[in-house]
Amino acid sequence: MGRVEAEARPKITDGLGIRIRQTDWLLALRRLLFVLFLADVVVAESQLSILAKTGAGANHVVASPSLIALLLLASFGVAVLLRWQRVCGGILAAWQSLAHLPVVGGRRIQHTLQRHDMAHTTSQAIQRTLDRWRLVLLASTLRHWISVILAGAALLASVLAAAFVSGPIQVLAAQWFWLAGVGLLLAAAWAWPSPRISPLRRLRWRLSVDINARDLPRWQALWSRWGDWLLVSALVGIGLALRLPNLATMPYVVHGDEASCALEALRWLHGEVHTLLSTGWYGLPVAGYGIPALVMRFAGEDLFGLRLSSVIVGTLSLILLYLLAREFSSRRVAFVATALMTVSHLHIQFSRSGIHYIHALFAVELTIWLLVRALRDRSAIAAVLAAVAISLSTQVYFSARLVYIIVPLFIVGMLLLNRGLLAGRASTFAWLAAGLATALGPLAAYFSANSNPLNSRTNEVLILNLTPYMRSHLIGEFGTADLRTVLLRQLAAVPLIPTGIADQSTQYGPHYSLLDVAMATLVTIGFFYALLRLRQPLFLLLSLWIAGTVVFGGILTMDMPDWQRLLVMLPALCLLAALVLEDLLRRVEQGVSGLARWLPALHMPDPAAVLAATLLALALVAFNASWNIQRYFVDYPRLTNSDPWWTTYTDIGRYLGTLPAGTHFILFSDGDLVADYATLRYLGPGTKGTRVESTADLALALAQSHGSTVVIVTQSHLADVGKAMVVGNKLPPGTFAPYVTANHQTTFYVFTPARQSPSATTDAP
């Protein structure tokens, strides 16, 4: 190789002036290691995905330690190679700093001078702050004073609301003071003059820069202006197409938690909720149940109306992810991230179910997006809205309270790692604090007086609370209640979350992995990729988002993994996968461009490189969509719809819904089924029933019943009824027939006494 050619070879730069010459063997070695490491990650994830088919969780899964080590080391290797320039630059910078360390004798003098300089600098900073506030007071306008007066009134209303939370009469007044305080503070933030942020300072928060539309041809300028709208519209259309069809029958199973959410929404519709400062099912504030109630008010009080509310909230969360990604990165990254979440079976499931889990994901996304907008633009209104979103996170499903971990750690992390990006934002933090005092103060006062609803769920699922129930549960799952042993086993299962372990909840619980192999590969690499770039706000945010969810929604809770607790990190996983993919696609673009230069005879058009990379991204999204659709719409119904363990309550409830109001039912079953289960109360609202467990009790219950009565006999007690009918005199005459469900299954039988005519057919509608 000639000298001129060698000097023209690109060099690695770390951004500090340190350059590393790349020789042919170094480039070849990097590329070989990259391919090997990437292949190792794919193979390891593929092997681990087999374990999810067993349906095992952290307590039972057995994975090869060498395979886990290979996965982690190879993922770290790929992340390091993707950040090769920065890593090598950091190593050389550290080496140079070590090579120029002062002698011990001079170090004391140097530290003394540094302390003197720091004191002088601090004094100057204090003086500059005082001068700035003096100028602010002198330059204050009428809008400033109006805003301050409104904010003071908002805080006063919040204090009065917090003081009135006790007592049935006072709590009604507290509600209106609370709402008035939030409204006044929003008006104050709107009146506050927003500072003008230069485009350069905005770009410091972003990972990429979009091309100015004025520098493009006409059609490209139109795409630059309207492309986001078109992409979001397409994603929303695809999302609705996956979530709306057969909404009332898919998923077929109506879990008790879903029915409980519906019953709470019906309380709203029937006028039984009198104040927002109160709690409903599972100790959650009633405001969260008002979301499905609002949709059911117009769409109907049936299962379709309940689930439609989740469809709407889930679709809005797709839009929020796109907006959040665009705050930091390019259009392609935002599209890929949102597309991955659009087709995710986890997001589809909880967007089609009436349980409020998808509300938590939406609340976390909304909080983070508004917080980023507030900090980036120094926006007072965004800061107050972020505080309101944090209050909303307290009023929906418990996993949304993760914002109390993410938000403070993100701000502290920015102060430690990249303080310059928060310069000049003291007023933004002041508005955020005022918003938290106004939006959260009365709610905090209510929970301080009623602490049991706040802590009941945490005490039930948190491993650290070694209650007698928790100790027996841990012994049953792990064979021990020793916290150290249990936590270590939970921690060891963390690398298996993407592909190696299955959902342990009864709300979903399929026997397949959380992510497909391709996305799991990007996510596992992406976590190390993010750790190497923590100085950038987005990667710090995603690291805290994922790690916080895994720790507080996984490691520290029972029955890991419970996917509804991990659902809130799905946007972070999709965005992280899209960012890693974008880094890979840029290298593809460089390769295609280099090929065009080396082979000019190919006559590649200018956008060929971008087009090739974009097609690869679309191919990955298509593969991901195919895998998720197969899992959710084919494998999942096959697993659950034909299993009586999953469907018995739903089958009975749907049958009760066909009976006339006032019908009394007797559930002849063992102790595993209860007659007042939420699914039965919601699907059969006009019926009431009791459970009996012996033939003698059944005969007595029938003798004491009046009016229209049916007996529902489960599979476990079918033989007892058969014997009683053969012997005679133990049961009154009647008809006995199997009930065939819409899935062509028989999970129970119906016995109707002869003194009344059957009120419903024994075939499912």
Side-chain angles (χ1 to χ4, degrees), residues 9 12 22-38 77-78 80-82 84 88:
R9 185 172 302 282
I12 299 175
Q22 298 188 81
T23 59
D24 286 334
W25 68 267
L26 182 59
L27 286 173
L29 179 61
R30 282 181 55 201
R31 291 168 181 167
L32 177 62
L33 288 175
F34 182 83
V35 172
L36 290 177
F37 286 156
L38 185 60
V78 174
V80 168
L81 291 173
L82 288 175
W84 175 259
C88 290

Side-chain angles (χ1 to χ4, degrees), residues 277 345 451 463 523 693 713 730 738:
L277 289 170
H345 68 84
S451 59
I463 290 178
V523 166
E693 300 183 29
V713 183
K730 288 191 175 182

Side-chain angles (χ1 to χ4, degrees), residues 299-333:
E301 299 181 5
D302 55 3
L303 193 59
F304 175 82
L306 173 68
R307 291 179 172 178
L308 182 62
S309 66
S310 294
V311 172
I312 295 173
V313 173
T315 304
L316 291 176
S317 71
L318 298 177
I319 300 174
L320 273 179
L321 177 58
Y322 191 94
L323 295 175
L324 178 61
R326 288 295 282 143
E327 292 294 330
F328 292 99
S329 194
S330 64
R331 182 175 293 160
R332 186 165 67 188
V333 170

Side-chain angles (χ1 to χ4, degrees), residues 308-442:
L308 182 62
S309 66
S310 294
V311 172
I312 295 173
V313 173
T315 304
L316 291 176
S317 71
L318 298 177
I319 300 174
L320 273 179
L321 177 58
Y322 191 94
L323 295 175
L324 178 61
R326 288 295 282 143
E327 292 294 330
F328 292 99
S329 194
S330 64
R331 182 175 293 160
R332 186 165 67 188
V333 170
F335 173 79
V336 171
T338 310
L340 291 175
M341 193 165 80
T342 301
V343 300
S344 166
H345 68 84
L346 187 65
H347 197 276
I348 294 174
Q349 157 68 11
F350 290 117
S351 293
R352 293 180 62 95
S353 173
I355 312 179
H356 50 193
Y357 300 139
I358 198 68
H359 301 171
L361 181 146
F362 172 81
V364 172
E365 273 188 310
L366 181 64
T367 300
I368 292 175
W369 176 60
L370 290 170
L371 178 67
V372 169
R373 290 296 301 266
L375 294 178
R376 193 197 67 179
D377 295 339
R378 292 192 288 176
S379 170
I381 188 70
V384 174
L385 287 174
V388 174
I390 293 176
S391 177
L392 176 64
S393 300
T394 311
Q395 302 177 64
V396 293
Y397 180 62
F398 304 96
S399 62
R401 297 174 187 179
L402 182 69
V403 296
Y404 292 101
I405 305 297
I406 299 176
V407 171
L409 289 183
F410 176 64
I411 295 174
V412 171
M414 290 289 293
L415 289 173
L416 295 176
L417 299 174
N418 208 335
R419 187 184 302 235
L421 291 180
L422 297 181
R425 286 167 173 79
S427 62
T428 305
F429 286 114
W431 282 108
L432 181 62
L436 291 174
T438 304
L440 273 179

